[in-house]
Amino acid sequence: MIQTKNLTKIFTAEEVETTALNNVNVEIQDGEFVAIMGPSGCGKSTFLHIAGMLDKPSDGEYYFMNEEVSNYSEKKRANLRKGNIGFVFQSFNLIDELTVFENIELPLLYLGVSASDRKKQVNDTLEQLELMPRKNHFPQQISGGQQQRVAVARAVIANPKVILADEPTGNLDSSHGEEVMKILVDLNERGITIVMVTHSPAYADYANRVVHLFDGHIVSENLKAKYDRHMQLLSEVTS
């Protein structure tokens, strides 16, 4: 699904160069749930932005669904993103002027889905994520946990192959954080590949692989052998 070869990203500002990623080699298989950990400034979000084709590497290769995309134009990257990648951000990134329904509907508008199909898909997703009572509310009228559920709903509405989540629990209390993690695990159980940046070892433990970054390098990887244990933990937390 995702593969990098010697991936490097260098930022230049006022003649100062900062290496955010340095020869990163990683492969993420279809259907995996991978957590990326490391201290602030280690390159986690930079990796996620390149993985989501929001940015280009300075050097190296990036393969998405076996397609080398590192030198694609912005337009070509945007076309590949649509319908294949969903994003969940720490700050929710909802549009304040749009209702919950309209925020979730937005990706379908970009994909040219008909009005009747959009209505059905959004209503189905609202039901799945228990957001139907809030469909006509605006983001500022609902709680932080509900806003993040709306952000997840928007990320999955177009049935993407991959969800990239950047600190999706960072602005939430523990109860709402666990709620979002349950949703992500449920989506992964349905076959969606999840790549999540997190500072929390507890939330990283829900993934079946953890990649540790430090100073732009991968310093270790841990494979979780007992993934079904996390499903049991989630059911216990939410019961």
Side-chain angles (χ1 to χ4, degrees):
M1 179 62 70
I2 288 173
Q3 184 182 17
T4 69
K5 295 182 179 180
N6 299 321
L7 193 73
T8 298
K9 181 65 179 181
I10 299 172
F11 294 101
T12 303
E14 298 179 357
E15 300 182 355
V16 176
E17 287 191 347
T18 302
T19 301
L21 296 173
N22 192 354
N23 292 319
V24 170
N25 293 281
V26 68
E27 187 168 353
I28 297 171
Q29 301 291 340
D30 188 16
E32 274 198 282
F33 186 160
V34 176
I36 300 175
M37 296 192 71
S40 296
C42 72
K44 302 186 302 296
S45 293
T46 300
F47 175 83
L48 215 62
H49 289 167
I50 293 175
M53 290 175 278
L54 298 173
D55 200 358
K56 296 173 67 172
S58 303
D59 200 2
E61 301 172 16
Y62 173 45
Y63 294 84
F64 181 73
M65 297 193 304
N66 297 317
E67 194 171 340
E68 213 289 308
V69 301
S70 59
N71 291 315
Y72 277 13
S73 66
E74 169 54 31
K75 182 178 180 180
K76 202 168 181 180
R77 296 200 310 272
N79 287 334
L80 188 55
R81 276 197 305 269
K82 286 191 295 187
N84 287 315
I85 299 176
F87 295 92
V88 181
F89 300 98
Q90 178 179 348
S91 55
F92 315 141
N93 283 13
L94 301 177
I95 299 174
D96 290 338
E97 295 77 18
L98 299 182
T99 65
V100 165
F101 184 100
E102 291 166 338
N103 267 283
I104 297 171
E105 179 187 35
L106 205 55
L108 300 181
L109 284 168
Y110 293 143
L111 289 170
V113 177
S114 69
S116 60
D117 286 344
R118 292 200 307 271
K119 182 176 180 181
K120 182 182 186 308
Q121 287 180 242
V122 174
N123 283 332
D124 287 348
T125 303
L126 286 165
E127 289 283 4
Q128 290 167 9
L129 295 182
E130 300 178 356
L131 287 165
M132 187 61 79
R134 303 287 183 241
K135 66 181 290 184
N136 294 318
H137 287 66
F138 292 94
Q140 63 269 27
Q141 296 175 316
I142 60 178
S143 70
Q146 290 168 338
Q147 288 185 57
Q148 192 60 295
R149 269 193 282 158
V150 173
V152 172
R154 183 183 58 189
V156 303
I157 189 66
N159 296 314
K161 294 177 173 60
V162 181
I163 290 177
L164 303 177
D166 195 354
E167 294 283 358
T169 60
N171 284 333
L172 304 177
D173 60 29
S174 59
S175 175
H176 287 123
E178 297 288 352
E179 184 180 284
V180 169
M181 291 307 304
K182 179 182 184 301
I183 293 170
L184 292 177
V185 171
D186 287 345
L187 292 170
N188 181 243
E189 286 292 299
R190 285 163 41 190
I192 297 176
T193 304
I194 310 285
V195 183
M196 177 185 69
V197 162
T198 182
H199 280 97
S200 167
Y203 293 143
D205 201 39
Y206 291 119
N208 53 342
R209 183 154 59 106
V210 182
V211 176
H212 295 269
L213 283 176
F214 187 79
D215 286 348
H217 296 275
I218 293 177
V219 292
S220 67
E221 294 189 42
N222 305 108
L223 182 66
K224 303 290 182 179
K226 298 181 180 178
Y227 187 55
D228 56 351
R229 179 174 68 85
H230 308 310
M231 293 298 293
Q232 180 182 356
L233 287 173
L234 279 172
S235 64
E236 291 172 356
V237 166
T238 56
S239 62

Short mmCIF file of all heavy atoms in Angstrom, two decimals, residues 8 32 38-39 48 72 81 94 134 162 209 213:
data_model
loop_
_atom_site.label_atom_id
_atom_site.label_comp_id
_atom_site.label_asym_id
_atom_site.label_seq_id
_atom_site.Cartn_x
_atom_site.Cartn_y
_atom_site.Cartn_z
N THR A 8 13.69 11.37 1.97
CA THR A 8 14.35 12.49 2.65
C THR A 8 13.55 13.76 2.42
O THR A 8 13.06 14.00 1.32
CB THR A 8 15.78 12.67 2.12
OG1 THR A 8 16.55 11.49 2.41
CG2 THR A 8 16.46 13.88 2.75
N GLU A 32 -3.08 -2.91 7.32
CA GLU A 32 -2.36 -2.74 8.58
C GLU A 32 -2.90 -1.54 9.36
O GLU A 32 -3.51 -0.63 8.81
CB GLU A 32 -0.87 -2.50 8.33
CG GLU A 32 -0.04 -3.75 8.19
CD GLU A 32 1.45 -3.45 8.37
OE1 GLU A 32 2.07 -2.94 7.44
OE2 GLU A 32 1.97 -3.76 9.46
N GLY A 38 7.33 9.21 18.38
CA GLY A 38 8.62 9.89 18.48
C GLY A 38 8.42 11.26 19.10
O GLY A 38 7.30 11.77 19.16
N PRO A 39 9.50 11.90 19.55
CA PRO A 39 9.38 13.22 20.17
C PRO A 39 8.98 14.29 19.15
O PRO A 39 9.07 14.08 17.94
CB PRO A 39 10.80 13.48 20.71
CG PRO A 39 11.69 12.64 19.85
CD PRO A 39 10.89 11.42 19.50
N LEU A 48 3.69 11.88 7.47
CA LEU A 48 2.27 11.72 7.17
C LEU A 48 1.85 12.62 6.01
O LEU A 48 1.06 12.21 5.15
CB LEU A 48 1.45 12.05 8.42
CG LEU A 48 0.18 11.22 8.63
CD1 LEU A 48 0.53 9.76 8.80
CD2 LEU A 48 -0.59 11.72 9.83
N TYR A 72 5.19 13.51 -8.89
CA TYR A 72 3.91 13.91 -9.48
C TYR A 72 3.64 15.40 -9.22
O TYR A 72 4.04 15.95 -8.19
CB TYR A 72 2.77 13.10 -8.87
CG TYR A 72 2.55 11.74 -9.50
CD1 TYR A 72 3.49 11.17 -10.34
CD2 TYR A 72 1.40 11.01 -9.23
CE1 TYR A 72 3.29 9.92 -10.91
CE2 TYR A 72 1.18 9.76 -9.78
CZ TYR A 72 2.13 9.22 -10.62
OH TYR A 72 1.93 7.99 -11.18
N ARG A 81 -5.22 11.26 -4.54
CA ARG A 81 -5.72 11.32 -3.15
C ARG A 81 -7.22 11.07 -3.09
O ARG A 81 -7.71 10.37 -2.21
CB ARG A 81 -5.44 12.70 -2.53
CG ARG A 81 -4.08 12.90 -1.95
CD ARG A 81 -4.04 14.09 -1.01
NE ARG A 81 -4.50 15.33 -1.61
CZ ARG A 81 -3.72 16.20 -2.23
NH1 ARG A 81 -2.42 15.95 -2.34
NH2 ARG A 81 -4.20 17.31 -2.73
N LEU A 94 -12.68 21.18 10.69
CA LEU A 94 -14.03 21.29 10.16
C LEU A 94 -14.29 22.73 9.71
O LEU A 94 -13.63 23.66 10.17
CB LEU A 94 -15.05 20.89 11.24
CG LEU A 94 -14.91 19.47 11.80
CD1 LEU A 94 -15.94 19.24 12.90
CD2 LEU A 94 -15.05 18.43 10.71
N ARG A 134 -27.08 15.19 15.56
CA ARG A 134 -26.28 16.42 15.42
C ARG A 134 -26.14 16.86 13.95
O ARG A 134 -25.39 17.79 13.66
CB ARG A 134 -24.88 16.20 16.00
CG ARG A 134 -24.88 15.76 17.46
CD ARG A 134 -25.25 16.89 18.38
NE ARG A 134 -25.18 16.49 19.77
CZ ARG A 134 -26.21 16.50 20.62
NH1 ARG A 134 -27.40 16.87 20.18
NH2 ARG A 134 -26.06 16.15 21.87
N VAL A 162 -6.99 4.18 2.63
CA VAL A 162 -6.09 4.52 3.73
C VAL A 162 -6.65 5.70 4.51
O VAL A 162 -7.17 6.65 3.90
CB VAL A 162 -4.68 4.90 3.21
CG1 VAL A 162 -3.74 5.23 4.37
CG2 VAL A 162 -4.10 3.82 2.34
N ARG A 209 1.34 -2.46 14.63
CA ARG A 209 2.78 -2.20 14.46
C ARG A 209 3.07 -0.77 14.88
O ARG A 209 2.30 0.14 14.58
CB ARG A 209 3.22 -2.43 13.01
CG ARG A 209 4.72 -2.25 12.79
CD ARG A 209 5.22 -3.05 11.58
NE ARG A 209 4.56 -2.71 10.34
CZ ARG A 209 5.12 -1.98 9.36
NH1 ARG A 209 6.37 -1.54 9.49
NH2 ARG A 209 4.47 -1.74 8.24
N LEU A 213 10.29 7.04 15.36
CA LEU A 213 11.16 7.98 14.66
C LEU A 213 11.95 8.80 15.67
O LEU A 213 11.44 9.15 16.73
CB LEU A 213 10.34 8.93 13.78
CG LEU A 213 9.78 8.42 12.45
CD1 LEU A 213 8.92 9.50 11.80
CD2 LEU A 213 10.90 8.00 11.50
#
